[in-house]
Every structure is written in C-alpha cells, then in structure tokens.
Amino acid sequence: MPEVNRAAATSVVASHVVTGDEAGTVWTPGEVVWADGVIQYVGPPARGPVGRRIEMGEGVVFPGFVNGHGHAAMSLLRGFADDSRLMPWLTEHIWPIENRLTPEDVEVGTLLAAAEMLHAGVVGFADMYYFPGAVVRAAETSGLRAMVGRGLAGGAGAQAAVEEAVALAAELAGRGGRVAGWLAPHAPYTVEPPLAAMIAEAAQRHGLAIHIHLAESEEEGQQVRDRAGVSPIGWADEVGLLTGRTVVAHGVYLTEPDIARLARSGAAVIHCPTSNLKLGNGVAPVIALERAGVTVGLGTDGPASTNRLDPFQEMRLAAWLQKSATGDPAAFSARDALRLATRGSARALGWDSGVLAVGHWADLAVASWWAPHVVPHADPLSTLVYATTPGDVRYTVVGGQVVVDDGVITTFDEGAVLRESMNRARALTPS
Amino acid sequence: MPEVNRAAATSVVASHVVTGDEAGTVWTPGEVVWADGVIQYVGPPARGPVGRRIEMGEGVVFPGFVNGHGHAAMSLLRGFADDSRLMPWLTEHIWPIENRLTPEDVEVGTLLAAAEMLHAGVVGFADMYYFPGAVVRAAETSGLRAMVGRGLAGGAGAQAAVEEAVALAAELAGRGGRVAGWLAPHAPYTVEPPLAAMIAEAAQRHGLAIHIHLAESEEEGQQVRDRAGVSPIGWADEVGLLTGRTVVAHGVYLTEPDIARLARSGAAVIHCPTSNLKLGNGVAPVIALERAGVTVGLGTDGPASTNRLDPFQEMRLAAWLQKSATGDPAAFSARDALRLATRGSARALGWDSGVLAVGHWADLAVASWWAPHVVPHADPLSTLVYATTPGDVRYTVVGGQVVVDDGVITTFDEGAVLRESMNRARALTPS
C-alpha cells in the first residue's frame, strides 16, 4: 500500500475471510485493509500500521450484500394483511394505504428498511417506489448505496414522471454520491406501449439504467401474450426496454428464446426466491440463465410481502430451490448462492462491490461465528450461506465508512426510526 | 390462583401474548403467570403479587416450540460436506465420521444443539441417534424436554438394542423428569421385518411410543414397493409399527389410502420442510393430512443437513411451501404454521405444552419486538411467524424453569460447550 495514508486506513482481522472471488478464495485467518473507500489488502493477517484495527476473533469478513430488487418503504406495511390472495391483498389492503402515503412516510419506511439491511450486512439496494426524493433522502442519510426510481405506470402524468426521473438521475449523477437514479417502468401489464417507448428513448438518450418487473407470474405471461402476442421478455425487447443496463426483477417464467434474448441484450435478472415462493410463483431458471451468460443477482422484494429483508435467507432459499427443482443437491452450491447475492447483484447494478479484492470498493461486512447455530464451522462458505444470520453481523462497511460499528448504526438514530415507524404504521393501518 | 404460593410464582408482561389456542387468542398487552411448573394466568396485565415479574415491553410471549424430529448431536457435523448428493454424502463423509463418534462427542453435540434450540424458544425435542445415554445426559443437563431413542437398524445386535431401549425408557419413566425414552426404528429400508415385529411387540407390551422415518423420498417408496409390494406407510401398518403413539418423520410421499391409514392408526406426522426442500424431497401434503384428522407437527431434522435448528425458519417454510404447492397464498396461514410448531408437535409427542392456557405446562418463550426487522407489528401472528428470528428470543421457560434468562442459558456453561464443540469437530473432520 505505497501511496495510502496508513493512519487513515482501517483493518479487520478475523478467523475467516471469504473473498467471494471467482476462485472461491478463503483466508483462514485473514485480514482486510481499506483506505480512501477502496480495498488495499486482502490476505493472511499482516498487521501493518493502520488507524484502526477491528479484531473479530472467531468470525468472518465477507463482501457486503447488494439487494438487487425491492420496495424499501413498504417496511411500514410489514405483515399487514398477510396470507391473502394477491388481488384482494392489493386492492383491499395495500393500494388504499399507499394512496394515503406521504413523502415523510416513505422516508421513514425507507430508513426502517435501511436499518434492517445494514444490520444484515447489506451495502446497497435497488428500489422502485413512490416519492423518489424521499427515498433518496433516506438512502443518503443511511450511508447505503442505492439505485432509486419512481415506479412508472399508467396513464395521466406519465410523461411528467419520466421527465422527473430523468432530472433526478441527472441531479444525483452531478452530486457524485452513493445514490443514483434510474428509470423504473413497473411491469408489462401496467405500462402501455407509448409510455414504454418514451422510457426506452429517455434511457438511451441519457444513458440511464432501467428497472422493471418481468416474467414474475404465469398470469402476467398469459396477459402479455393475449395482448401483444409475445412473452413479457419479448415485449420488453420489442419496445426497447431490454438494454445492457436493464435490471429485470424476477424472471421466473422464461422460455429458451427468452433466455437467449436476455443474454443477447446484456440485461441482468434479479432472483427473488422468498417472494416467488410465498406468492406461489414458481422457481426461476437461475442455472440456465447463468449458463447462457446472463448476470443473475438476488433481491428481497418488498417487505410487505416477504416480511424481512434478509439476504442470508434469500441465499439459502436460492440454493435450496435450485436443488429442489433439479432434484440434485449438488446442482447449486453455497458458493453459487453467495455469488448471486454479492458479485451478481453488484454487476447487475453496475457497482464495483461484491468481492474482497485490492482496488475494489470497500463494501464489506463482518459477522461473529461464536454462537451455537454457527459452531463448528468446518466449511466457511457453507457456514456463511446456510448458518449465518443477520443477528451475527457486527460491522457493515460501505465505501470504507463503518456504518454498522459493533452492532450499532453510526449514521442515524435507529431508535427514533423504530418509534416513528410504529407511530406512522398505526396511523396508516386500520386497528 | 387460590392455592398457589404467590412468592414462588413468576410472571411476564409484554405488549403481546400469542396464546396459540384454537381460537387464535392474542392479548395486547398481556401477562402470563406460572407456578409449580404450570400456567396460572393468561390475560391482560393484572400485575398481582409474584416472586418475579419480567417486563418485556414491546415483545411477545408465545408457547415454546417443540422440535418434533431431529438428530441433535449432528450439530458437531454442521455444514460438513454440504452440497453433496445423498449417497456420497452418507457413505464418503457422514458415516465414516459417525463410526468414530464417542459417547462424549454425542453428549457435547447434543448440548450444542440444546443451546441453539433454547436460544430459539424451543422447550423440547424428539431425537433419534447413537449413544442414547449420552443424549439423555445432555438433555437433562440442558433443562429441555426430550424423547430419546437409539436409531434401530440391521443386523447383528438389533435384539440387544431393542432391549436396551426398553430398559432406558423404563429407567427414565421411573425418574419422572423431562426426558423419556421411545423406540426408534430407523426406516423401512434399514429395518428388516423380524426386527420390525420385535419393536412393534416391545412397544405394545411396554406402552412405548415409536419414532420412524417414513415416506421421505420417492426412492424409498419405490424400494419398499419393490420389496414388500406396499407403500412405506402400508408396510409400517402391516408390521405393527403404526400405532396411536407412533411419530412419523417426514411423510411426504403419501397416497390417499396412506393418509387414511395414518388417520385410522392415530399416528402423527412431523413435517420437516427445510430438510425436504434441501434434499429435493418434495412437499408434504400437510393440508390433506390435517383435514383427515392426522396430527401434524414440525421438526428441523439433523443440523448436518439443514445447518440450523430454527423453528421460525421451519414455520415460514411450512407456510410458504403449502402456499406454493397449492398456488393459493391463503391456503396455509401464519396461525396454521404456529399450530404445527407448538400444539401439533406437542400432541405428537404426548406433551401438555404448545398452548398458553391455565393448567397447561409452563413451556413458553418471550421475544423482543424492538428491532428494524420486526417493527411495525400490525399482525401479531404474522410478525411471530414471518418476521421474528431466534436472535429476538430473550427468555425460554421449560416446566416453569427460566432456562434462558435475558438471553443467557442458566443450566450449563454455553461458552465451554462452544469451545469443546470446536475442538471435537476439528478432531472428527478432516482439515
């Protein structure tokens, strides 16, 4: 580290460093050093001079998770009207409440989600919701990275919404922080062709990324086929929404030609196993997608339906569902699941996180491995993916900033957010 | 509480009491009082005189979980050789290690599992493994309830093993503690008809419960049908192993006649969703079983394959898999999942736990609901099942004894068990 100010460097030493690199490198024990927001050293403990050294003992340093798809502010509606069928859930419960949401609700709900994600080792998230300005404020307060965009649909005011999204993205790009804007057309069944064309054109002109729900349910596929004569992926491709910077949420019901189109376009897919399982939406063909060269990441979807924003649960489910769907316990491993949650999601969002390697962003997390559910830890990758929980995470570092420090969030008052969330949820939901 | 020594009574007050009763009663806020190992009061906070009152604030009191099927000591082999196919996993990895296990290994491994279960709000567990004397010692040390039996199979020494199991059960019954013995024939593919008959006869003569793996995989069904011309359930019924005190682990591949046989016999089924999913063994017909009148409980199976002993995860998966398999998000609710993990498993094992009601065993747990993953908590049942984690559990009470007290195990030195487990695992598994 010749050019680094060592007094400004931070380091963590632990019994295990899971680098998350292509080769599956693990250091036992290991040290990671970062400075100026970038990783400077990964390897066996060298214990050179640093400004601060964190000694974890029995524990693991790993690349921070990237949550590739969600609606963070829906944390305020957590567990509200669970166990309902989709349409009554939306029309009778969720939409009437969402109609009453204020920007302040969205800001508090997003901070609540940010607290949950930070405690789980998440370093950044992808978002699609209302009041993007409020989401940006919460994301910036939290210290997390974020891709933010208002869900675009309909109807009246759609053109203005696209223009606002373009303006927000430009403003955020100018600011140069951890939060960026993108264009988030909701889904093929809520976006008419003229709006789709407008979004595609704006994305191309301004070089913006696109985030869209595609091929999530069988009904959606049927509806799009009835209306447009093509699959959801085919529709998106034809209207120009499938670009090298498109991030497709879900991607469950895919034909071979769909997968080939995705691969050709360079679009990425975010797998949301909990959401798909809970809503009875089948199992995404993750293995086939990756084999075809499509980047696949992992996402929690919104907490109103999936209840928790837990990347460990998503990794476990991703592995188990592929094993179960193929009938082969060796078909998808802990290492594969970790790749989705880290490098996969990061690549989908165009971020330089997801791996502990010199020169990459210092986006990482540290968990304790000293509890009866993670002892012994014969296989570090297996222990990280199948046994570790958010409750084990002690440190989360974003761009070199220690945002969770020995279990405490350093960027905002978590207790105040919990209290405010309780109050706002009570006011929003019928008692 | 007229006849109770109030100074010996303990009480907990919290924002929520989920009773787990048939009607789904929840007290908001609520209090639970127990003395002499039995629940004395459940209702709104009365704050009468007690020897000790625990003030939980925002949190939930709920019936402690009963883990209806497992191999606790396999915690020592957690995550060892994950992502392998079943036969190489068993023959190359697990069996060679199990051949070297000592009673001391089993005692330590069971204590490790006990620590994990206690922290997750579990009050008792069903076990099938080697060295049952060591399992009994660990269970008695831990304060947990347990049903213990050596897995019976083979072969040479089988008759002696049955006699030993009968003797152990008699000894434990005489002791009158929280641990009892049962007969645990391993599975139809490892138990020959003469051994099965011997076990059935011993169970009947001594009034003992039976624990057996049945209808877990498609291959098992095919094998039993090829050999005996009947289904695994049919085989068990014909050899006399399906009694009103039989606890069937798994019960995935069941025909309508199988379900009818189970209902007629009074045998219970323990659903193990994580294990089934990870091993690619399909989804148990839980709804059809319960509709036919079969008692269904929930189990974690062994931690070498499922990695963690987490009843919350099992509840969530149980609900999600039924929703997914039926395509109906309303088919199986949080309340249904809670019933499996509490009353269902308790009834299967013949225990008086699983519900917070006056006169029942004081087997309960208390979790904090003050963290970003459980706030807000609009629906208490949904929050308990879909959002709460073992890390939220602060108190676990077994037979009135506070075994986890503000997060600390009171019955044994947890740190010593963690250290001993690490050492023994290192010695057992190749590095």
Side-chain angles (χ1 to χ4, degrees):
Chain A
M1 301 184 288
E3 312 194 12
V4 168
N5 175 3
R6 283 197 162 272
T10 307
S11 134
V12 55
V13 175
S15 67
H16 295 77
V17 171
V18 170
T19 65
D21 67 9
E22 204 83 46
T25 309
V26 178
W27 297 97
T28 316
E31 180 171 17
V32 179
V33 183
W34 63 92
D36 302 332
V38 171
I39 294 172
Q40 310 289 342
Y41 173 84
V42 180
R47 296 184 183 278
V50 289
R52 179 187 181 191
R53 174 167 291 118
I54 297 165
E55 297 280 354
M56 192 59 231
E58 288 291 338
V60 61
V61 189
F62 57 98
F65 300 119
V66 174
N67 186 356
H69 174 64
H71 317 280
M74 293 186 86
S75 284
L76 270 198
L77 311 181
R78 187 198 310 283
F80 176 66
D82 261 326
D83 301 326
S84 313
R85 298 193 174 91
L86 182 64
M87 285 324 288
W89 182 73
L90 284 174
T91 57
E92 292 166 30
H93 301 294
I94 297 299
W95 287 346
I97 292 176
E98 287 190 332
N99 283 336
R100 303 205 313 273
L101 281 179
T102 64
E104 291 70 31
D105 291 328
V106 169
E107 186 170 350
V108 169
T110 305
L111 274 172
L112 179 65
E116 182 177 1
M117 290 191 277
L118 281 168
H119 281 300
V122 172
V123 293
F125 67 105
D127 206 66
M128 176 196 290
Y129 206 55
Y130 307 101
F131 302 118
V135 176
V136 167
R137 276 196 300 279
E140 291 186 335
T141 300
S142 75
L144 282 164
R145 300 186 190 282
M147 298 292 289
V148 178
R150 173 170 166 185
L152 300 168
Q159 179 164 358
V162 175
E163 284 163 10
E164 277 168 31
V166 169
L168 180 65
E171 186 198 330
L172 290 169
R175 221 179 292 173
R178 294 183 193 150
V179 182
W182 59 5
L183 296 174
H186 176 260
Y189 52 93
T190 47
V191 174
E192 298 292 322
L195 177 58
M198 195 188 307
I199 294 167
E201 198 269 334
Q204 194 183 14
R205 177 143 40 99
H206 302 284
L208 293 177
I210 293 171
H211 192 37
I212 182 169
H213 297 102
L214 282 178
E216 178 178 5
S217 73
E218 259 185 320
E219 299 71 42
E220 172 204 340
Q222 200 49 57
Q223 209 176 318
V224 176
R225 255 178 281 266
D226 288 350
R227 201 191 60 191
V230 287
S231 71
I233 297 294
W235 172 84
D237 200 10
E238 287 176 12
V239 297
L241 290 176
L242 225 53
T243 78
R245 296 201 62 199
T246 295
V247 179
V248 170
H250 298 293
V252 180
Y253 294 93
L254 300 175
T255 61
E256 281 200 31
D258 285 339
I259 294 175
R261 269 191 204 248
L262 283 165
R264 245 193 337 261
S265 70
V269 170
I270 302 296
H271 178 38
C272 301
T274 299
S275 171
N276 298 158
L277 186 65
K278 193 172 177 203
L279 299 175
N281 274 333
V283 177
V286 173
I287 295 171
L289 281 165
E290 288 199 306
R291 218 168 262 158
V294 177
T295 294
V296 182
L298 209 56
T300 58
D301 209 346
S305 57
T306 63
N307 302 81
R308 291 195 308 129
L309 306 171
D310 178 350
F312 296 98
Q313 173 175 291
E314 301 298 340
M315 287 195 297
R316 282 196 293 274
L317 267 185
W320 294 341
L321 289 174
Q322 294 303 311
K323 290 168 188 291
S324 178
T326 59
D328 179 1
F332 207 80
S333 68
R335 193 205 284 194
D336 295 324
L338 180 66
R339 179 184 59 247
L340 299 190
T342 53
R343 271 182 294 143
S345 287
R347 189 175 306 135
L349 303 188
W351 292 351
D352 192 24
S353 23
V355 63
L356 300 182
V358 172
H360 289 264
W361 291 350
D363 284 4
L364 55 98
V366 185
S368 164
W369 275 355
W370 196 246
H373 63 278
V374 278
V375 161
H377 26 73
D379 178 333
L381 277 159
S382 169
T383 304
L384 180 60
V385 171
Y386 296 132
T388 306
T389 66
D392 302 314
V393 173
R394 304 307 304 160
Y395 299 87
T396 302
V397 176
V398 186
Q401 181 188 8
V402 182
V403 182
V404 176
D405 195 335
D406 199 16
V408 178
I409 293 176
T410 61
T411 45
F412 60 93
D413 181 344
E414 182 179 356
V417 169
L418 295 182
R419 283 188 295 276
E420 185 72 12
S421 298
M422 293 284 281
N423 291 339
R424 286 181 183 272
R426 263 190 218 110
L428 282 169
T429 56
S431 62
Chain B
M1 302 183 285
E3 312 192 14
V4 169
N5 176 3
R6 282 198 162 271
T10 307
S11 134
V12 56
V13 175
S15 66
H16 295 78
V17 172
V18 171
T19 67
D21 67 7
E22 204 82 46
T25 309
V26 177
W27 297 98
T28 317
E31 180 170 17
V32 179
V33 183
W34 63 93
D36 303 331
V38 171
I39 293 171
Q40 309 290 342
Y41 173 84
V42 180
R47 297 185 181 278
V50 288
R52 178 189 182 190
R53 175 167 292 116
I54 297 164
E55 298 280 355
M56 192 59 232
E58 289 292 338
V60 60
V61 190
F62 58 97
F65 300 118
V66 174
N67 186 356
H69 173 63
H71 317 280
M74 292 185 87
S75 283
L76 271 199
L77 310 182
R78 185 197 313 282
F80 176 66
D82 261 324
D83 302 324
S84 314
R85 298 195 173 89
L86 183 63
M87 286 324 287
W89 182 72
L90 284 174
T91 58
E92 292 165 33
H93 301 293
I94 296 298
W95 287 345
I97 292 177
E98 286 189 333
N99 283 337
R100 304 205 311 274
L101 280 179
T102 65
E104 292 70 31
D105 290 329
V106 169
E107 186 170 349
V108 170
T110 305
L111 274 173
L112 180 64
E116 183 178 1
M117 290 192 278
L118 281 167
H119 281 300
V122 172
V123 294
F125 67 104
D127 205 66
M128 176 196 291
Y129 207 55
Y130 307 101
F131 303 117
V135 177
V136 166
R137 278 196 299 281
E140 291 186 334
T141 300
S142 75
L144 283 164
R145 302 187 190 282
M147 298 293 289
V148 178
R150 173 171 165 184
L152 300 167
Q159 181 164 357
V162 175
E163 284 164 10
E164 278 169 31
V166 169
L168 180 65
E171 186 198 329
L172 290 170
R175 222 180 290 174
R178 294 180 194 151
V179 181
W182 61 3
L183 296 173
H186 176 260
Y189 52 94
T190 48
V191 174
E192 297 291 322
L195 176 58
M198 195 189 306
I199 294 167
E201 198 270 332
Q204 194 183 15
R205 178 142 40 98
H206 303 284
L208 293 177
I210 293 170
H211 191 37
I212 182 169
H213 296 101
L214 281 177
E216 178 178 4
S217 73
E218 258 186 321
E219 299 70 44
E220 171 204 341
Q222 199 50 56
Q223 208 176 320
V224 176
R225 255 178 281 265
D226 287 350
R227 200 192 62 192
V230 287
S231 71
I233 296 293
W235 172 85
D237 200 10
E238 287 176 12
V239 297
L241 290 177
L242 224 53
T243 78
R245 297 200 62 200
T246 294
V247 179
V248 170
H250 298 292
V252 180
Y253 293 92
L254 301 174
T255 62
E256 280 201 32
D258 286 338
I259 294 174
R261 269 192 206 248
L262 283 165
R264 246 192 337 262
S265 70
V269 170
I270 302 297
H271 178 39
C272 300
T274 299
S275 171
N276 298 159
L277 185 66
K278 193 173 176 202
L279 299 175
N281 274 332
V283 178
V286 173
I287 294 170
L289 282 164
E290 289 199 304
R291 218 169 261 159
V294 177
T295 295
V296 182
L298 209 57
T300 57
D301 208 345
S305 56
T306 63
N307 301 81
R308 290 195 309 130
L309 306 171
D310 178 352
F312 295 97
Q313 173 175 291
E314 300 298 342
M315 288 196 295
R316 280 196 293 274
L317 267 186
W320 294 341
L321 289 175
Q322 295 302 312
K323 290 169 189 290
S324 178
T326 59
D328 180 2
F332 207 80
S333 67
R335 194 205 283 194
D336 295 324
L338 180 66
R339 179 183 59 245
L340 299 190
T342 54
R343 272 182 292 144
S345 287
R347 190 176 305 137
L349 303 187
W351 292 351
D352 192 22
S353 22
V355 63
L356 300 183
V358 172
H360 289 265
W361 291 350
D363 285 3
L364 55 98
V366 185
S368 164
W369 275 354
W370 195 246
H373 63 278
V374 279
V375 161
H377 27 71
D379 178 332
L381 277 159
S382 169
T383 304
L384 180 60
V385 170
Y386 296 131
T388 306
T389 66
D392 303 313
V393 173
R394 304 307 303 162
Y395 299 88
T396 302
V397 176
V398 186
Q401 181 187 9
V402 182
V403 182
V404 176
D405 195 335
D406 199 16
V408 178
I409 294 176
T410 62
T411 45
F412 59 94
D413 181 344
E414 182 179 355
V417 169
L418 295 182
R419 283 187 294 275
E420 186 71 12
S421 298
M422 293 283 281
N423 291 339
R424 286 182 182 271
R426 263 189 220 112
L428 282 168
T429 56
S431 61

